[in-house]
Amino acid sequence: MVRFYMEKGTHRGLYKSIQKTLKFFQTFALLEIVHCLIGIVPTSVLVTGVQVSSRIFMVWLVTHSIKPIQNEESVVLFLVSWTVTEITRYSFYTFSLLNHLPYFIKWARYNFFIILYPVGVAGELLTIYAALPYVKKTGMFSIRLPNKYNVSFDYYYFLLITMASYIPLFPQLYFHMLRQRRKVLHGEAVVEKDE
Amino acid sequence: MKHYEVEILDAKTREKLCFLDKVEPQATIAEIKNLFTKTHPQWYPARQSLRLDPKGKSLKDEDILQKLPVGTTATLYFRDLGAQISWVTVFLTEYAGPLFIYLLFYFRVPFLYGHKYDFTSSRHSVVHLACICHSFHYVKRLLETLFVHRFSHGTMPLRNIFKNCTYYWGFAAWMAYYINHPLYTPPTYGAQQVKLALAIFVICQLGNFSIHMALRDLRPAGSKTRKIPYPTKNPFTWLFLLVSCPNYTYEVGSWIGFAIMTQCLPVALFSLVGFTQMTIWAKGKHRSYLKEFRDYPPLRMPIVPFLL
C-alpha cells in the first residue's frame, strides 16, 4: 500500500490493485469462527462472529458491490487500520504459538487498537455513508412488492440500520478489548511486583 | 423433637445473610424461603435460589429439611435469581400482542400503508381466511393459558418478557404487514393450495389442543407431579407413540399450514425460527424424561417422528 502511494502519488486506484488479496484474506477469516466453534481457540464465538461478519460485509457487500465508492478516502482509512491490526494480531498469534513472544508484539497488540479501532470504524461508517446515494438510486440488492413470496427488502434501509447498530456494538467490542488489555498487561505488572 | 438451626450464606461472597433457629425438622424449603423473606423483604421467595452447595443445583420448594443431607445446623447458600414475573402474565402479554397487532394491519389502520388504502378491505378471500386463522390461534393460546395449562414454575426472570414480546410482536407485525398489503399476491395454486393449507392448519390446531388437554389431565390441580404421557382414546394423542412433545410437532405443523395458505416468506421464516426453538425445548424435555423414567418408550423421538 505504501509502495503504491509513493509510486502513484494518489490513493485512487488503490482498491483496484489490492482487492483480490483483500477479498481472499478477509473471507478466509471465516475460519476463525470455525476455530472458536470447535474449541481450539478460547475466544467467544459471538465476538469473533460479529468481528468477521462486519469485515465480510464491508468487503463484499459494500466496497466490492458499490463501485463508485472504491476511490473514497474513507476506504483507505479502514484499509490501513485493518492492515496494521492484522499484521500485529497474526504476529502475536504466531509468536505465542512458537512460545517466544517478544514483549513489543504483545504491547502492540494490546495498545494499537486504542487508536486503530476507532479509526477503522470511522472509515467503515464514512464509506457506507458515501455509498447511500448510489444504493438509493439503483435500488440494488432490494426486493420490491408485489412478488409471489410476499416479502420485501430494502438495502438502503438495511444500510441505515447497520450504521445505527455500530452505536451499541462498537462500545461493547472496544471495552471488551480494554478489559482484555488490563488483564493481560496490568495483570503481569501486579505479578512482577510480588516477586 | 429436636429443632434445627439454619444459616443462610450468600453463594458468591459467603457472607452470613440470615440465621434461623428453632426450625421444625419437617419444614419445607418453601417455608424456609418465607422466613428468609421476613429478614430481607426485597428477596421474595420466587427470587430465591437456595442450595446445599454454592455451585450446586437449586433445592426444590417441596424438599423437607429433615430429609436433606445436613446436620442439625444446616448451611444453605443463597443466589438471587433477579426480578421475577409470573408465567401467566408473560404468556398473556406475549399472546395478546400478536392478536391485536395483526388486526391493526388487517383493518389497514392509518399510517401502516399509503393513505389511499386506509380502512380498505382486501379483495382476496385468502386474506380474510388468514386473519380468522391467525386470530383463532392466539385466542386459543390465551384461553389455554387461563384455563388449561398447569405450570411447574410460577415465575421466570423479568427480562424474559421483553425478549419474548419483541419476538412475538415483531414477527406478528412483519407477517401481518405483507399478508394484508394492498399489493399482496395470493397463492400460486389458488383455492386448491388454500384448502390443503387450511386442512393442515385445522388438524394441527385440534392436535395441539388435544395434547394440551392430555398433559393437563396427567397432573392434578396445584401439584407439580411429572408422569410419562401416553396416547388416550383421542386419535390426535396417538402421536405420543412416536414423539415426546407432540404439542410442538402440531404447533410447527400449524405454522407450516399457515405459510402454505398465505404463501408468505416471513411466515415461513417465523415457522423455521419457532421450529428451531421448539426442537431445543423438545430435546431437553426428552432428555429429562429419559433420565427420570427407566421404562421410557424407546420408539419415541423428541419432536419429529423417527427423525429428530
Side-chain angles (χ1 to χ4, degrees):
Chain A
M1 277 180 12
V2 174
R3 193 173 40 176
F4 180 95
Y5 197 82
M6 289 169 78
E7 273 177 29
K8 302 268 174 90
T10 173
H11 65 275
R12 289 177 173 281
L14 171 66
Y15 177 77
K16 224 177 185 160
S17 66
I18 54 101
Q19 62 170 322
K20 282 219 178 77
T21 320
L22 179 71
K23 287 175 193 164
F24 179 79
F25 283 107
Q26 288 300 329
T27 312
F28 230 97
L30 281 170
L31 216 56
E32 291 193 32
I33 306 182
V34 177
H35 294 162
C36 293
L37 268 172
I38 61 178
I40 61 179
V41 170
T43 323
S44 118
V45 178
L46 194 60
V47 174
T48 315
V50 171
Q51 191 83 342
V52 176
S53 304
S54 92
R55 294 287 178 88
I56 304 266
F57 164 73
M58 277 309 300
V59 170
W60 287 106
L61 296 183
V62 182
T63 12
H64 165 78
S65 311
I66 309 173
K67 295 217 181 341
I69 51 101
Q70 285 171 1
N71 287 314
E72 292 281 323
E73 287 81 2
S74 52
V75 174
V76 180
L77 212 55
F78 74 75
L79 282 179
V80 168
S81 158
W82 289 6
T83 310
V84 178
T85 307
E86 304 291 64
I87 294 175
T88 329
R89 201 158 67 93
Y90 286 117
S91 310
F92 175 82
Y93 292 148
T94 315
F95 284 113
S96 300
L97 286 172
L98 297 172
N99 277 322
H100 178 83
L101 181 66
Y103 187 73
F104 170 68
I105 302 284
K106 190 197 292 201
W107 187 91
R109 195 244 203 263
Y110 285 105
N111 278 298
F112 280 2
F113 80 89
I114 298 178
I115 305 288
L116 289 179
Y117 212 172
V119 167
V121 165
E124 292 171 31
L125 285 175
L126 286 168
T127 310
I128 302 175
Y129 185 71
L132 289 177
Y134 298 103
V135 173
K136 188 159 205 175
K137 198 170 58 166
T138 61
M140 61 184 289
F141 290 169
S142 302
I143 310 172
R144 302 256 178 260
L145 286 177
N147 61 74
K148 75 175 170 170
Y149 294 116
N150 291 305
V151 68
S152 68
F153 179 74
D154 192 327
Y155 193 47
Y156 180 77
Y157 287 107
F158 175 75
L159 287 178
L160 286 177
I161 294 173
T162 305
M163 287 176 74
S165 74
Y166 273 74
I167 299 176
L169 289 177
F170 168 68
Q172 286 189 50
L173 290 172
Y174 196 59
F175 287 125
H176 171 80
M177 283 304 292
L178 282 173
R179 257 178 282 132
Q180 294 290 86
R181 176 178 179 271
R182 198 158 304 149
K183 240 199 305 181
V184 172
L185 294 183
H186 293 176
E188 281 194 348
V190 174
V191 171
E192 278 171 22
K193 264 201 211 137
D194 287 338
E195 288 177 46
Chain B
M1 186 176 51
K2 244 185 144 178
H3 276 134
Y4 277 62
E5 294 176 329
V6 176
E7 62 166 5
I8 300 180
L9 309 179
D10 184 299
K12 271 186 272 191
T13 65
R14 310 295 160 96
E15 179 196 336
K16 206 184 221 171
L17 296 170
C18 177
F19 187 81
L20 304 164
D21 59 353
K22 290 216 182 57
V23 182
E24 307 273 321
Q26 299 105 309
T28 57
I29 293 293
E31 285 162 13
I32 293 178
K33 283 185 182 175
N34 281 325
L35 291 171
F36 185 46
T37 305
K38 290 211 176 87
T39 54
H40 293 267
Q42 76 275 25
W43 287 327
Y44 42 87
R47 262 181 106 130
Q48 296 176 32
S49 162
L50 295 177
R51 35 185 91 170
L52 292 168
D53 176 81
K55 299 218 176 105
K57 268 177 67 171
S58 274
L59 294 167
K60 296 190 219 151
D61 280 358
E62 312 82 60
D63 288 341
I64 296 173
L65 188 55
Q66 201 172 32
K67 300 223 162 84
L68 297 173
V70 288
T72 49
T73 303
T75 304
L76 297 178
Y77 292 94
F78 163 77
R79 173 153 263 172
D80 183 13
L81 296 171
Q84 297 284 303
I85 185 167
S86 85
W87 271 69
V88 174
T89 310
V90 176
F91 271 33
L92 292 178
T93 320
E94 69 190 16
Y95 296 155
L99 182 62
F100 180 66
I101 290 170
Y102 192 98
L103 290 172
L104 289 178
F105 286 93
Y106 176 74
F107 288 113
R108 295 193 184 151
V109 154
F111 298 102
L112 294 173
Y113 302 110
H115 279 306
K116 67 173 178 180
Y117 298 114
D118 290 350
F119 297 118
T120 55
S121 178
S122 171
R123 55 191 168 85
H124 304 293
S125 61
V126 68
V127 172
H128 306 296
L129 182 62
C131 182
I132 295 172
C133 289
H134 188 270
S135 307
F136 171 79
H137 178 82
Y138 281 103
V139 167
K140 169 180 158 294
R141 285 218 206 181
L142 286 165
L143 292 174
E144 283 172 341
T145 305
L146 290 167
F147 302 115
V148 177
H149 294 316
R150 296 212 161 108
F151 295 100
S152 318
H153 302 282
T155 67
M156 65 166 86
L158 184 63
R159 81 186 79 89
N160 278 12
I161 196 173
F162 300 110
K163 202 167 40 106
N164 292 9
C165 285
T166 306
Y167 171 74
Y168 277 104
W169 297 14
F171 261 113
W174 196 37
M175 287 192 267
Y177 173 76
Y178 291 110
I179 299 171
N180 298 295
H181 200 282
L183 295 177
Y184 171 76
T185 310
T188 313
Y189 297 104
Q192 259 185 330
Q193 186 172 336
V194 175
K195 265 190 215 137
L196 172 68
L198 181 61
I200 296 174
F201 180 79
V202 170
I203 291 172
C204 289
Q205 289 288 278
L206 287 171
N208 179 266
F209 178 69
S210 305
I211 302 300
H212 286 160
M213 288 304 284
L215 289 171
R216 168 198 172 79
D217 292 335
L218 273 186
R219 172 178 279 176
S223 82
K224 291 187 189 174
T225 50
R226 271 192 303 280
K227 298 207 295 242
I228 303 179
Y230 282 108
T232 68
K233 290 206 187 74
N234 182 339
F236 287 111
T237 64
W238 296 351
L239 198 48
F240 269 122
L241 290 167
L242 299 174
V243 157
S244 290
C245 302
N247 50 320
Y248 292 148
T249 318
Y250 282 122
E251 182 68 21
V252 182
S254 302
W255 285 106
I256 292 176
F258 192 67
I260 297 172
M261 188 192 295
T262 55
Q263 199 167 296
C264 178
L265 193 62
V267 179
L269 287 172
F270 178 65
S271 312
L272 185 65
V273 176
F275 175 63
T276 310
Q277 175 65 88
M278 286 189 274
T279 303
I280 295 173
W281 289 337
K283 282 186 173 229
K285 192 106 205 114
H286 188 76
R287 226 175 292 133
S288 324
Y289 278 146
L290 288 173
K291 243 203 286 191
E292 192 167 349
F293 304 111
R294 306 253 112 205
D295 54 340
Y296 196 72
L299 184 62
R300 290 191 197 182
M301 295 298 278
I303 185 171
V304 178
F306 308 117
L307 295 175
L308 195 58

